[in-house]
Amino acid sequence: MDRWFQVMELPWLNVFLRHGGLRGATVVDALDTLYIMELEEEFQEAKKWVEKSFDLNVNGEASLFEVNIRYIGGLLAAYYLTGEEVFKSKALELGEKLLPAFNTPTGIPRGVINLGSGMSWSWGWASAGSSILAEFGTLHLEFLHLSELSGNPVFAEKVMNIRKVLNRVEKPQGLYPNFLSPVTGNWVQHHVSIGGLGDSFYEYLIKSWLMSDKKDSEAKKMYDDALEAIERHLVKKSAGGLTYIAEWRGGILDHKMGHLACFSGGMIALGAEHAGEERKQHYMDLAAEITNTCHESYARSDTKLGPEAFRFDAGSEAMATRLSERYYILRPEVVESYMYMWRLTHHPKYRQWGWEVVQV
């Protein structure tokens, strides 16, 4: 195996992202990968950095969502793989620093927090000071583990309260809009997307059910009901026979898919694996169709890499028609769906499609 970190010309620990003053996002996010790939030297170097240099006492604008999935998620994965206490203690310490974001009238957290002061606020671009579905809906897996590991129920209570708010609020056509007020608990505008702003909320529902050993019936029902509404209102087929998931803006469909929405092929396949026999094949077929459409967005581009968004209007299908959408930023969602589809069907085309992306 090539030691791919060597191309960075060590010390590679100097090459990493920051979030709100926190250093080392690349290092922490890669801990489990380093361990699984048996890159022992690099893993030990990363562990040493976490022990000696990972400073949590910082000020700056940090995304609650990003800190949770990259730092806490990365630390928890490393802890469960290795049993090293340093990863557990850092995850719990960081989790404590995120709690002030939940100090709102509804308990729906604001999207941005200063880890040093505990002050939190909503993103400036978020409509009317709202919180974002994909952000506050993508905390459940990690926060339940923080309570499990610490014995402190507060983390689980915070994310279970999010469920209560979402179950209480009326959902237009059974759909979950992307913007919710943390003050009133009401939707701020009726924009629904399975791509950016909404995506991982749905993913966390089915995975929360699986993580609970299929005991979290509330998560499963929320997932099943959401998928039913998505299929009824958003899933469309183009004139050329491509199945896609449109966006919904107050009842008006926008016939586009973002690259981020392409995770849904894998998610639907994962859910199909655990659906009733009468629906299992239906959802596997839907997952395959959506994954094929996302593959077409790659195959039809000049570079053979999928664009940030692709459309199904004005005679174009699965192609970026706007300059602002014609870029690729190493998003993994399409390849992620290939991986799920390969694991669940073992059809060789999914491996081939993944290899084609690597070769580009």
Side-chain angles (χ1 to χ4, degrees):
M1 180 187 299
D2 290 335
R3 290 188 170 270
W4 48 278
F5 273 110
Q6 289 180 355
V7 302
M8 294 183 179
E9 297 182 357
L10 296 180
W12 60 275
L13 292 175
N14 290 322
V15 187
F16 44 65
L17 298 173
R18 295 170 182 256
H19 284 288
L22 280 179
R23 301 168 66 227
T26 307
V27 177
V28 176
D29 208 7
L31 284 166
D32 55 348
T33 302
L34 292 172
Y35 187 84
I36 291 169
M37 292 180 69
E38 299 181 354
L39 293 167
E40 181 64 21
E41 180 183 339
E42 289 83 356
F43 176 79
Q44 290 300 328
E45 189 176 357
K47 176 190 167 187
K48 181 179 178 181
W49 183 87
V50 171
E51 290 175 324
K52 305 295 185 183
S53 304
F54 186 29
D55 182 11
L56 305 186
N57 297 310
V58 295
N59 287 293
E61 182 180 282
S63 163
L64 173 73
F65 163 76
E66 297 285 358
V67 169
N68 180 62
I69 66 169
R70 303 194 188 285
Y71 289 95
I72 293 180
L75 290 165
L76 289 173
Y79 171 68
Y80 284 123
L81 284 168
T82 68
E84 298 280 0
E85 286 293 320
V86 62
F87 301 132
K88 172 184 172 181
S89 63
K90 289 287 188 181
L92 293 174
E93 184 180 353
L94 196 48
E96 292 277 356
K97 286 181 173 293
L98 295 183
L99 291 176
F102 293 81
N103 293 336
T104 66
T106 61
I108 296 292
R110 302 188 191 277
V112 191
I113 185 166
N114 184 307
L115 297 173
S117 68
M119 291 182 59
S120 67
W121 59 94
S122 298
W123 293 108
W125 50 264
S127 181
S130 57
S131 296
I132 310 302
L133 179 68
E135 296 191 344
F136 65 77
T138 310
L139 304 169
H140 198 95
L141 297 174
E142 293 83 1
F143 270 55
L144 256 60
H145 279 284
L146 292 178
S147 278
E148 180 72 21
L149 291 174
S150 67
N152 185 349
V154 67
F155 301 104
E157 290 168 356
K158 296 298 185 185
V159 290
M160 294 308 296
N161 178 67
I162 291 172
R163 290 250 191 105
K164 290 178 184 177
V165 174
L166 289 176
N167 283 326
R168 185 169 61 240
V169 66
E170 183 178 353
K171 287 163 279 294
Q173 306 297 323
L175 297 167
Y176 288 84
N178 293 331
F179 297 95
L180 185 79
S181 169
V183 176
T184 67
N186 296 321
W187 306 115
V188 173
Q189 58 173 258
H190 287 179
H191 171 219
V192 177
S193 169
I194 311 308
L197 306 178
D199 48 9
S200 47
F201 162 69
Y202 306 96
E203 174 189 8
Y204 265 45
L205 290 175
I206 187 64
K207 290 182 177 178
S208 293
W209 178 68
L210 291 170
M211 187 181 77
S212 73
D213 195 24
K214 304 179 183 178
K215 295 186 173 101
D216 187 353
S217 57
E218 181 180 57
K220 183 63 159 58
K221 185 179 189 309
M222 290 173 73
Y223 171 81
D224 288 341
D225 291 349
L227 184 57
E228 182 180 337
I230 288 165
E231 189 170 10
R232 185 185 309 119
H233 298 290
L234 304 184
V235 173
K236 300 296 175 182
K237 193 176 286 285
S238 72
L242 296 178
T243 301
Y244 63 97
I245 305 179
E247 296 190 7
W248 191 81
R249 298 178 186 276
I252 300 173
L253 288 182
D254 185 4
H255 295 274
K256 61 170 275 192
M257 275 188 78
H259 193 293
L260 287 166
C262 284
F263 87 99
S264 59
M267 177 190 72
I268 293 169
L270 180 63
E273 185 74 2
H274 305 281
E277 286 301 317
E278 72 283 358
R279 300 295 285 169
K280 182 173 182 177
Q281 190 58 52
H282 169 75
Y283 283 130
M284 283 302 301
D285 291 343
L286 177 60
E289 291 172 16
I290 290 171
T291 303
N292 178 69
T293 297
C294 292
H295 173 256
E296 285 299 311
S297 77
Y298 276 57
R300 299 182 186 197
S301 74
D302 293 336
T303 63
K304 303 307 176 185
L305 290 172
E308 179 68 2
F310 47 94
R311 296 181 176 270
F312 300 84
D313 52 23
S316 295
E317 296 196 359
M319 296 179 68
T321 59
R322 304 181 183 183
L323 186 61
S324 61
E325 298 167 347
R326 295 176 184 171
Y327 62 92
Y328 173 75
I329 51 175
L330 296 178
R331 292 203 189 276
E333 285 76 17
V334 172
V335 176
E336 177 186 1
S337 282
Y338 296 166
M339 185 272 290
Y340 274 103
M341 295 302 295
W342 159 250
R343 290 287 187 185
L344 295 171
T345 70
H346 294 292
H347 196 296
K349 71 180 179 183
Y350 297 114
R351 294 182 75 187
Q352 179 60 35
W353 289 353
W355 180 238
E356 290 168 1
V357 175
V358 174
Q359 288 181 307
V360 173

